Amino acid sequence: MAYSYDAIVIGSGFGGAVAACRLAQAGHRVLVLERGRRWSAQEYPRKPGDGWIYNPEAPQASNGWLDLRFFGDMIVAQGAGVGGGSLIYANVSVEAAPELFAAGWPPEITYQELVPYYQRVAEVMAVREVPANQLTRRFQLMREAADKIGASDRFRALPLAVAFSEQWHYGLDDPFDHRHSERFTNAQGQEQGTCIHLGTCDLGCAVQAKNTLDLNYLAWAEQHGADIRPLHIVRRITPEGTGYRVAFDRIAHGELIPGSETAAKVCLAAGSLGSTELLLRCRDQYRTLPQLSPFLGQGWSSNGDFLTPAFYDDREIHPTQGPTISAAIDFLDGSEGGARFFIEDGGFPDLLHGYLEEKLAQGPKNRRWHTVLRHLKQHLEAKPPLSNVMPWFAQGIDAADGRLSLGRKWWAPWRRVLKLQWDIAQSTPVIDAIVAMHERLSAATGGQAWVPPTWSLLKTLITPHPLGGCNIGPDASHGVVDHLGQVFGYERLYVVDGAIIPEAIGRNPSRTIAALAERSMALAATT
């Protein structure tokens, strides 16, 4: 039968962007359905009243930058928009450790098998390390900490998907002024600027030094004819002929307008939560895909994410300056009592400074108030808030024993909602080991670590790196998709995002997600 498209891609993050790009380049008619907006640098949230929050229960009313999901003792942070997780991630593009693939993965997927795809991702994302003349104080503190605890051989700079200029440095006059960002056209024909260490990586880079997916993979996809539709929330996938019908709600004028399209193949890339929830609804609620594996929803992981701030009495760290993450100390070999983890520097944006910049750029509507704001901005630049804080970050190999399912709220039993069963007991040792290392590194450099009460009292975690739920496996009894991401029992239906990763990676997962999608597109889904 004739289909509207050759392929429909659901989601535009690291898996969906790769799928859309490679399918379009192969000559397929591609439709990308993205639940969030298409953001421009002028629209990034910065002040009260901006589009901060995406509400999945009422996206027609609130379709902002960040989707926060609360599951009792687990909080998941996800990006919403064309570019998916690349909009909010910290630019780190690192490979998984080779030994990770020794167990728990199909034999077809090894580190050596992924090497060419890792390299392909690195080239498209234009990754590189922070130039030697631009090292942040956090980078220098981490290197010092590694030396002082005898772990200098474990310290490493991280590859970042960021455009840098060798000409920039902290000694410039007003180094964070946008005039120091050099404009250029990237390999995909998109205009960008070079990094001036604004520290807003997680909230969108105002000079577009961050190599987000809308500036590379998705730009290529559109240049090859892909149709990217923002503000489309997919509700259901139904087999139709040898292909599928995808039903969605389109947001327009504050309303949800139903619609659907058909395609010979579908690539699901809505993220660990989104892809798993959609398939759960298709199996258990709408029963359009009743043969989906009973393993669906199992093997979910938070990737062991944890952050511990440390405070220094006589040392300035400036966590609001520079790339959000730039270096790591690697303990994934299990040398710390068997716990495996990856320590990183962390950062956070200075929202007050950004707000003042925007207000001052609007001109002096009130001359006296304008002068007050200008002096406040100068004061904050001379002494940035929380300049003595080091946000130690980490990922670790947790138990990956979470389970996603559809349940009901007692006050609204007619609605089925996504639930997460998560027992922290099996993952507590790695989190405790991360905390202990954060405390050790802080003490070695003269700081005092402060363990958040969300962990010390409540044992609650926050993750921006959810993995699993549609796990790769050898068969439908032990997984949801095969080694190419094709769903067991449903030909030409693929999952190509973090939902297929069967265990914690213990490192930032974006490059592994993209490499698996590159492999899937190269070996199966383009035929």
Side-chain angles (χ1 to χ4, degrees), residues 308-331:
T308 307
F311 296 85
Y312 291 76
D313 291 333
D314 55 358
R315 183 169 189 163
E316 292 192 349
I317 314 299
H318 296 301
T320 62
Q321 298 175 2
T324 300
I325 294 174
S326 61
I329 309 172
D330 191 338
F331 294 98

Side-chain angles (χ1 to χ4, degrees), residues 237-316:
I237 302 171
T238 305
E240 188 159 313
T242 57
Y244 298 90
R245 179 173 294 276
V246 177
F248 52 77
D249 283 330
R250 173 172 62 91
I251 298 174
H253 309 295
E255 297 181 356
L256 294 176
I257 302 172
S260 69
E261 298 285 2
T262 58
K265 64 169 65 74
V266 171
C267 293
L268 184 50
S272 172
L273 298 187
S275 293
T276 306
E277 179 178 1
L278 181 56
L279 291 184
L280 284 167
R281 291 190 184 278
C282 289
R283 187 190 67 182
D284 301 339
Q285 182 176 353
Y286 304 121
R287 304 194 185 281
T288 57
L289 300 173
Q291 303 305 316
L292 287 171
S293 166
F295 202 85
L296 178 62
Q298 299 183 46
W300 187 87
S301 166
S302 74
N303 203 38
D305 290 329
F306 198 84
L307 186 145
T308 307
F311 296 85
Y312 291 76
D313 291 333
D314 55 358
R315 183 169 189 163
E316 292 192 349

Side-chain angles (χ1 to χ4, degrees), residues 76-142:
V76 181
Q78 305 172 106
V82 175
S86 75
L87 299 176
I88 69 165
Y89 87 136
N91 317 307
V92 178
S93 184
V94 65
E95 301 175 356
E99 56 270 20
L100 178 81
F101 303 96
W105 294 73
E108 295 90 345
I109 298 179
T110 64
Y111 174 76
Q112 287 302 320
E113 170 70 8
L114 288 182
V115 165
Y117 304 109
Y118 273 134
Q119 184 57 35
R120 194 172 299 176
V121 174
E123 292 170 357
V124 176
M125 299 300 293
V127 305
R128 60 168 299 182
E129 297 173 1
V130 177
N133 68 328
Q134 300 176 27
L135 300 181
T136 66
R137 297 194 185 194
R138 286 177 286 117
F139 183 104
Q140 296 172 42
L141 186 148
M142 278 199 72

Side-chain angles (χ1 to χ4, degrees), residues 35 54-64 231 233 235 251 256:
R35 65 177 182 154
Y54 186 98
N55 181 358
E57 297 185 359
Q60 72 277 19
S62 180
N63 44 70
L231 297 174
I233 301 100
R235 302 301 191 187
I251 298 174
L256 294 176

